[in-house]
C-alpha cells in the first residue's frame, strides 16, 4: 500500500507561480521576512511529521478507537506520544500570536499544514484544530486575565481546546439550548447542563482541556440573544499556573460514530463546573462565530486533505493493479490506469483537489491580508472575501472531498470495501466533514442568505469582476479553460442576480441554496484552473503537463455540471414547497 | 425511531394504474391466475415479515457481525431463526420453478419482495438472493441429475447458494483466475484454489451450502475461454438425498468490511473439494452470466430498497425534529421538513425511488414476458429490453441508492453520524452495491460497449421510440414532466448516435460510459414519472397529490442534470486519455 506523499511541489508551484505569495508577504507588516522558500522548508518538515508519525497510526487508531473506562478517556495506541512530539516540535503554535508565544506565521502556512494533518490522520488533526478555534475566540473576546492564563499553553499545544455548543435538542438551532450559567459572585459562574458531539472533549495527553461552553445566564431572554460563552477548564488553574482541582465536569459517554473512531467525541456533563465568561453577556454567539468561522475553513481543508490522500492511493493502486486488456486489445492484463473510466475517476478527484488547494491558499492570503494590511480599506475588502468564501470552502470542499473519497475507493473495486486497504476509512471519516460545524445545507443558506446579500450584492460582484478580469487576461493563452469558466461565470452571475432580486422570498433562497453553492464553487475552481493553466502554458515539465491536462479535463468534464445547476436554480422553488409535510 | 413501512400502496398503484400488470399476466401462459390483487395480498404478508422479523435484527446484526471461530461461521443473534421462519413461510420459492417445488409466481412479485428484504436487512437478503442466482445457473446449465439433486432444496431455501468467482488477482478480469479442476474419472472433479469476497459462503442455518465455482480444467486455454463452472457442495449428498461427509473446502477467514457486517463474506479455500461441472467445459462464463444477470438486477433492487428505508426514516425524522424558524419568521421551532433544503433532500430521494420502482417493475414484466409469452418474437424483443436495462438498473439504482442513503443521513445532521440512529449503516451497506456483481464502471461499459450496439443500435432505438410514444401521448395532460423528459430523451438519442458512430473508438466509449448510463437512467425515470403523472392527473387523493408534486420536482430539479451530462459526453475523450499514467 502506498504511503502518503505531502504535495510539496504542488504547493511550491502555487505559492511561487500562481498566487504571488512573496509579493503579498512583502506588503504585510510583520510578515516581511516570510517567503515561499521559508514556507516550503517549514512545510516539508511538517509533511515529514504527518507522513512519518501520524499516518502510521491512522488505521490502527480507527480499529482501536478511543475508549471510556471508569470515566477516563484513552486515545488509541501512539496518539499521546504523537501529540507530545507534535507539541515539542512546535507545530501547535505555527500561526499563533507571538504575544502569547506563537510563531506568528501566516495563515497560508497554517492551512497547508492543516491539509497535511487531515490527509494523514483526521482524528488526530482535530486536537490542534479545535484548540486553535478556541484560541481565536479567547484571543478576540476574553479578558486580559483569561488570555494571560490560558493562551500561552493553548498556543503551545500543552493544553487542548474544545467547543461545547450542541445539545441533543439544539443543533443548528442553538437558540434552543438549555445549559445554564449561574453567577457565583466572585466573577465566576457555575455551569450546569449536558452537551453532545464534543470533539476532543477529553484526552489522555496530559495537561488541561479548555472547554468553551455556550450557556444561558439566569433571566436571559429566550433564543440566541440569551446565550453567553464560558471558558470551562477540566482542571482549575492555580495562581502560579499549575493545575489544581478537577472541575465539576465529566464525560458521560463517547459517541459511537460512523468514522473518526480515534477521536473521543464526548457527551459532556457539566455539574456546576466553574467557568468564566468570554465576551459580553448575551453575545455568546458572536464570540462563538469567531471560532466557528476559523473551524469552518479548517473543516473545508479537512475535506481537501482526505481527498488528496485518497486520490494518491487510488492513483498508485491503478498503476499497480493489472486487470483487463488495453483499448486496442493487443496487451493484457494492463494496469487499470489505462482504462478510461478509471482515469476519469482519478481526474475527477485531482481536478477538484488542485483547484481547491489553490482556492484555499487564495482565501488564506485574504485572511492574512485582512489581519495585517496597513490600509483599512484593503483589510475590509479582504475580510469580505473571506466571509464570502467561508461557506464555499466549508461545504464544497467537503462535498467534493467526500465524493473524491468515494470514487477513490471505487478504483479499488471489491478491495475498496475491505478495511485493511484503508480506503473505506477515508469515506467514513470524510462523511463527518459535511455535517459538523454547520451542515452543508446551513453553509449554502449562509452563502445565499447572508453573504450574497452583503453590501447589497456588491461584495459578490467585486469577486465576479476579479474572476472575469483574470479570465479575460488568460483567454489568449489558455482559451479552453478560460472560456469554459467564463461561460460558467455568466451562469453564476445570472443566478446571483435572480436570487438577489427575490431575496425576500426565503423559500426561493432555500430551494436554490445547495445548487448555487456548488455552481459558485465550480466557477471558483475554474478560475484557479485558468490561473494554473496560464502559469504553465509555456512550460514543458511533468508538473506543467499535469496541470495542462487536468485543466482541460476540468473544462471538458466538470464545468458542464454548471449548466444543469443553473437550469435547476432557474426552475425555482415551486416543486420544492408544494408538497404537504405529511405526504413526504 | 420510525420503523420501516412496506410501500404497498405505491406498489398497488404501479401494478394497477400505471403498468398494466393484470393485462400482462392474462397474456402469459401459466400466469393467467395471477393478478394485482393476489400479488398485493402476498406482498403484504412479505412486507410484514420484512418489517416484523428482519428489520429488528438489522442494526443488532451490524453491531454483532458474523464471526469465524475454529473454522465455524456464526451469524448474528436471530439470523438463523429468521432464516428458518423465512423458509417455513415459503418465501424462498416464491418465483421458483414449479417443477422443482417452487411456487412459479412472476418475477415482478419476486423483485418487489427483494426490495422489501433489502429495505429491512440487506445482509439477510443476500442469502436468498444468492441462492436464487445459483438456482438459475443450475436450472439453465446443469445436468438433469444435478438439477434433481439440488434444485428442490435450494428453491425451498433449505439449502443456500453462493457464487465463487473472484480471486485476489482476478476480479473484473476473470480470465486471470487460477483455481483448478481436475477430473477424477467418475464424472466428478477435484477443485483446488482460493476465492475471496464470497457472500453467503458459509452460514449456521443448517442444511447444505452449494457453491458455484469458476475454475480451469487441465490444459484449458488461457483467458476466459478456459473457464468452466462447477457445483461444489459444502456437504456431499448421499443417494437418498441426506447430507454426507464434509467436502474438502473451508472458510479461510471472513472479510473485514465497511458494511454488511452481518453477512459472512468468506475467503474460501478449496482443497481438492469434489465438484461437478455445470454446462460445457470452457463455457463457465456463459453459465456464470445466467446467474450474474439475475444478480445484477437483484443488486439494483438492493439500492432501491436501502433508499426507500433511508428516505422513510429521514422523512419521519424531519416531521418530528424541531429546529429553526418558519420561512416568514413567525413560528419556531418548526419541524425541519418546513425548510426548503430539507424538503429538497427528501424529494431528491423520493423522486429516484418511485421512478426506479416503476422501472424495476417494468423490467421484471419484460422478464416475465421473455420467459412465458407464446410469441417467440415477443419473447426475443422483451429479452432485448432486459439486456438493455440490466446495467442501467444495476448501476443507476445503486448510485442513486447510495446518494439517497447519504442525503437521508444528512437530514439527521450530527445524529446521522451516530450509530444508534441507524442511518450511517444504510450508507455503509449501500456502498457495496456499487461495487459487487461488476462495478458500476463495468456496468456502464456494458451499456455503451455491448447493449447500445446490439442489433446495430436498433434495440436502443426501439426503446427510445417506445418512450417517445408514451411522452407524446402524455404531453397534453402532464406537459411539464412529459416535455422535460422529451428534451432529455433528445439529448440521450444524440449521445447514442454519436457513440454508435464512433463505436470502434474504445477510449471514446469508456470516457463517456458513466455519464451516458446516468443520462440513460434519468430519461428512463422521467419516462416512468410521466406515466405516473398521467395516471394521477385527474385524481385528487393523497397518493395522486404526492405523485404530481414529485413528478414536477423530477422535471424541475433532477432532469436538468441531463444537460450537463450530454455536454460532458459531447466533449469526448481527449482530456481523459491525454495524461501519462505516471503523472496522475
Amino acid at each position: 500500500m502506498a504511503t502518503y506523499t505531502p504535495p510539496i511541489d504542488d504547493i511550491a508551484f502555487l505559492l511561487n507561480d500562481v498566487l504571488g505569495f512573496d509579493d503579498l508577504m512583502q506588503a504585510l507588516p510583520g510578515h516581511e521576512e516570510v517567503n515561499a522558500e521559508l514556507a516550503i522548508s517549514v512545510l516539508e518538515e511538517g509533511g515529514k511529521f504527518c507522513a512519518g508519525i501520524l499516518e502510521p497510526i491512522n488505521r490502527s487508531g480507527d480499529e482501536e478507537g478511543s475508549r471510556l473506562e471508569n470515566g477516563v478517556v484513552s486515545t488509541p495506541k501512539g496518539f499521546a506520544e504523537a501529540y507530545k512530539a507534535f507539541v515539542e516540535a512546535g507545530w501547535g503554535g505555527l500561526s499563533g500570536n507571538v504575544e502569547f508565544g506563537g510563531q506568528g506565521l501566516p495563515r497560508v502556512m497554517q492551512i497547508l499544514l492543516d491539509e497535511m494533518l487531515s490527509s494523514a490522520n483526521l482524528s488526530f488533526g482535530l486536537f490542534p484544530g479545535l484548540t486553535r478555534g478556541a484560541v481565536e475566540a479567547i484571543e478576540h473576546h476574553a479578558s486580559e486575565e483569561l488570555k494571560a492564563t490560558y493562551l500561552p499553553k493553548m498556543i503551545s499545544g500543552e493544553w487542548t481546546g474544545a467547543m461545547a455548543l450542541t445539545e441533543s435538542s439544539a443543533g443548528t438551532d442553538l437558540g434552543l439550548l438549555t445549559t445554564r450559567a449561574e453567577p457565583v459572585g466572585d466573577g465566576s459562574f457555575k455551569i450546569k447542563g449536558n452537551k453532545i458531539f464534543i470533539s476532543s472533549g477529553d484526552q489522555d495527553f496530559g495537561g488541561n482541556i479548555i472547554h468553551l461552553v455556550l450557556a444561558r445566564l439566569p433571566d436571559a431572554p429566550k433564543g440566541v440573544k440569551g446565550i453567553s460563552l464560558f471558558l470551562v477548564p477540566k482542571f482549575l488553574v492555580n495562581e502560579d499556573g499549575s493545575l489544581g482541582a478537577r472541575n465539576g465536569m465529566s464525560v458521560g459517554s463517547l459517541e459511537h460514530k460512523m468514522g473518526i473512531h480515534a477521536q473521543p467525541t464526548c457527551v459532556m456533563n457539566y455539574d456546576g463546573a466553574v467557568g468564566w465568561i468570554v465576551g459580553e453577556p448575551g453575545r455568546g454567539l458572536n464570540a462563538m462565530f469567531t471560532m466557528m468561522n476559523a473551524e469552518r475553513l479548517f473543516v473545508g481543508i479537512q475535506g481537501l486533505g482526505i481527498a488528496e490522500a485518497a486520490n494518491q492511493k487510488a492513483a498508485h493502486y491503478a498503476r499497480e493493479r493489472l486487470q483487463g486488456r488495453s483499448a486496442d486489445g493487443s496487451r493484457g492484463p494492463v494496469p487499470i490506469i489505462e482504462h478510461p473510466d478509471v482515469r476519469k475517476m482519478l481526474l475527477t478527484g485531482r481536478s477538484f483537489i488542485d483547484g481547491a488547494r489553490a482556492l484555499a491558499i487564495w482565501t488564506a492570503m485574504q485572511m492574512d491580508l485582512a489581519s495585517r494590511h496597513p490600509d483599512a480599506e484593503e483589510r475590509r475588502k479582504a475580510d469580505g472575501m473571506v466571509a464570502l468564501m467561508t461557506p464555499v470552502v466549508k461545504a464544497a470542499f467537503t462535498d467534493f472531498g467526500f465524493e473524491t473519497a468515494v470514487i477513490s475507493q471505487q478504483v479499488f473495486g471489491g478491495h475498496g470495501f475491505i478495511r485493511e486497504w484503508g480506503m473505506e476509512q477515508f469515506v467514513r471519516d470524510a462523511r463527518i466533514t459535511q455535517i459538523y460545524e454547520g451542515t452543508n445545507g446551513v453553509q449554502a443558506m449562509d452563502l445565499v442568505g447572508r453573504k450574497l446579500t452583503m453590501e447589497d450584492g456588491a461584495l459578490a460582484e467585486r469577486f465576479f469582476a476579479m474572476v472575469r478580469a483574470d479570465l479575460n487576461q488568460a483567454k489568449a493563452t489558455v482559451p479552453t479553460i478560460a472560456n469554459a469558466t467564463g461561460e460558467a461565470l455568466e451562469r453564476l452571475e445570472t443566478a446571483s442576480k435572480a436570487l438577489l432580486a427575490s431575496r425576500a422570498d426565503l423559500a426561493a433562497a432555500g430551494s436554490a441554496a445547495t445548487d448555487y453553492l456548488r455552481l459558485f464553487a465550480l466557477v471558483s475552481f475554474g478560475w484557479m484552473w485558468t490561473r494554473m493553466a496560464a502559469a504553465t502554458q509555456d512550460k514543458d515539465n511533468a508538473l506543467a503537463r499535469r496541470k495542462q491536462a487536468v485543466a482541460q479535463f476540468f473544462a471538458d468534464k466538470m464545468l458542464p455540471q454548471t449548466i444543469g445547476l443553473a437550469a435547476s436554480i432557474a426552475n425555482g422553488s415551486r416543486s420544492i414547497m408544494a408538497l404537504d409535510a405529511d405526504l413526504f
Side-chain angles (χ1 to χ4, degrees), chain A:
Chain A
M1 192 66 182
T3 52
Y4 166 65
T5 304
I8 300 296
D9 290 349
D10 284 85
I11 291 170
F13 163 68
L14 291 170
L15 297 183
N16 285 318
D17 301 336
V18 183
L19 295 164
F21 179 70
D22 286 4
D23 289 347
L24 176 67
M25 289 299 117
Q26 283 291 315
L28 300 183
H31 283 340
E32 300 93 339
E33 308 289 308
V34 178
N35 57 31
E37 198 186 336
L38 168 75
I40 297 300
S41 72
V42 170
L43 291 168
E44 273 182 337
E45 288 308 307
K48 283 179 196 160
F49 186 89
C50 294
I53 308 290
L54 299 182
E55 195 195 25
I57 54 173
N58 188 39
R59 216 185 80 73
S60 59
D62 179 68
E63 290 287 334
E64 186 182 339
S66 277
R67 280 164 300 135
L68 177 70
E69 279 161 357
N70 304 318
V72 178
V73 165
S74 310
T75 58
K77 189 156 177 278
F79 271 61
E81 294 79 1
Y83 189 76
K84 188 159 175 278
F86 181 86
V87 171
E88 279 175 4
W91 296 114
L94 188 76
S95 62
N97 191 333
V98 291
E99 195 188 330
F100 301 105
Q103 294 161 59
L105 288 165
R107 178 73 67 156
V108 171
M109 291 173 65
Q110 183 66 55
I111 61 123
L112 289 166
L113 176 66
D114 289 343
E115 185 203 315
M116 296 189 292
L117 285 170
S118 305
S119 290
N121 197 320
L122 200 76
S123 286
F124 182 94
L126 279 164
F127 290 107
L130 286 161
T131 303
R132 211 164 53 247
V135 161
E136 301 217 11
I138 294 169
E139 195 175 331
H140 286 91
H141 301 284
S143 68
E144 294 305 319
E145 197 185 334
L146 288 178
K147 287 192 211 178
T149 305
Y150 291 95
L151 285 184
K153 285 184 174 159
M154 293 179 76
I155 285 177
S156 73
E158 198 179 331
W159 296 354
T160 61
M163 294 161 52
L165 319 178
T166 304
E167 300 175 7
S168 62
S169 296
T172 298
D173 192 350
L174 289 168
L176 298 173
L177 66 82
T178 61
T179 296
R180 305 186 57 78
E182 286 163 17
V184 173
D186 62 354
S188 72
F189 296 80
K190 292 272 188 193
I191 311 293
K192 289 181 185 164
N194 304 297
K195 298 280 181 180
I196 63 171
F197 304 160
I198 311 307
S199 298
S200 308
D202 204 350
Q203 33 86 343
D204 54 358
F205 304 162
N208 208 348
I209 305 170
I210 313 307
H211 287 226
L212 291 181
V213 184
L214 288 181
R216 293 183 181 285
L217 291 168
D219 308 322
K222 280 191 172 178
V224 294
K225 288 177 185 162
I227 300 174
S228 306
L229 185 67
F230 299 87
L231 185 157
V232 186
K234 178 178 177 182
F235 294 101
L236 298 174
V237 180
N238 298 322
E239 295 255 331
D240 65 356
S242 64
L243 296 186
R246 267 296 292 263
N247 204 350
M249 58 205 275
S250 60
V251 180
S253 62
L254 294 187
E255 307 279 9
H256 305 110
K257 308 186 299 289
M258 179 184 196
I260 53 169
H261 290 158
Q263 229 318 299
T265 309
C266 298
V267 174
M268 290 298 308
N269 303 325
Y270 302 94
D271 305 309
V274 179
W276 291 268
I277 196 163
V278 175
E280 301 295 311
R283 299 276 293 159
L285 279 202
N286 182 47
M288 184 205 77
F289 266 107
T290 302
M291 58 182 171
M292 189 69 113
N293 279 329
E295 290 306 315
R296 285 180 173 178
L297 288 165
F298 175 68
V299 172
I301 299 298
Q302 290 187 314
L304 167 60
I306 285 210
E308 170 69 41
N311 180 273
Q312 278 190 18
K313 283 177 208 285
H316 182 266
Y317 183 81
R319 278 189 291 263
E320 303 280 320
R321 173 81 171 171
L322 304 176
Q323 206 85 166
R325 312 287 302 172
S326 57
D328 62 4
S330 68
R331 294 169 296 115
V334 296
I336 61 171
I337 203 164
E338 293 198 22
H339 301 316
D341 189 55
V342 172
R343 302 174 75 86
K344 184 162 177 253
M345 291 192 276
L346 294 172
L347 287 163
T348 298
R350 179 53 53 197
S351 74
F352 149 65
I353 292 162
D354 290 5
R357 183 179 298 118
L359 192 67
I361 296 175
W362 182 85
T363 305
M365 286 170 70
Q366 297 297 310
M367 295 175 86
D368 286 325
L369 226 161
S371 54
R372 293 198 183 242
H373 198 279
D375 184 324
E377 179 61 10
E378 290 293 319
R379 291 200 302 274
R380 189 189 68 79
K381 282 187 175 172
D383 207 44
M385 289 297 164
V386 175
L388 182 66
M389 215 48 86
T390 296
V392 177
V393 169
K394 196 283 177 181
F397 283 29
T398 59
D399 280 349
F400 283 106
F402 177 72
E403 290 164 29
T404 299
V406 170
I407 55 180
S408 301
Q409 179 192 24
Q410 190 76 15
V411 169
F412 284 69
H415 298 286
F417 199 65
I418 305 298
R419 291 216 303 267
E420 283 81 348
W421 287 88
M423 299 307 291
E424 61 89 39
Q425 185 188 348
F426 289 133
V427 174
R428 289 186 290 101
D429 285 358
R431 188 68 186 88
I432 189 58
T433 65
Q434 301 173 285
I435 298 171
Y436 62 15
E437 307 305 340
T439 65
N440 286 358
V442 168
Q443 304 301 322
M445 276 306 294
D446 179 51
L447 178 64
V448 172
R450 284 202 205 94
K451 304 304 170 61
L452 175 60
T453 57
M454 276 170 81
E455 304 179 33
D456 204 26
L459 168 63
E461 270 172 41
R462 216 153 54 232
F463 177 73
F464 301 151
M466 182 179 57
V467 172
R468 172 77 61 203
D470 282 349
L471 299 179
N472 284 340
Q473 210 187 328
K475 241 188 238 178
T477 52
V478 288
T480 305
I481 181 67
N483 290 331
T485 305
E487 287 165 26
L489 175 59
E490 274 169 40
R491 290 173 200 123
L492 177 60
E493 290 184 292
T494 302
S496 302
K497 278 179 196 138
L499 286 168
L500 272 168
S502 69
R503 76 178 83 171
D505 180 354
L506 291 182
S511 297
T514 51
D515 286 340
Y516 181 79
L517 188 142
R518 195 172 176 97
L519 172 57
F520 199 112
L522 285 164
V523 169
S524 304
F525 297 153
W527 170 45
M528 286 295 151
W529 272 115
T530 303
R531 292 179 61 163
M532 289 188 280
T536 52
Q537 53 90 17
D538 55 355
K539 298 197 174 71
D540 184 28
N541 54 40
L543 186 141
R545 286 201 297 279
R546 189 190 204 196
K547 299 300 171 196
Q548 290 290 319
V550 184
Q552 176 91 50
F553 177 87
F554 192 81
D556 282 1
K557 299 291 173 182
M558 299 296 282
L559 282 173
Q561 286 183 28
T562 61
I563 318 175
L565 293 166
S568 171
I569 294 168
N571 283 336
S573 65
R574 59 178 182 176
S575 69
I576 288 178
M577 304 312 293
L579 194 62
D580 288 346
D582 59 354
L583 294 182
F584 273 76

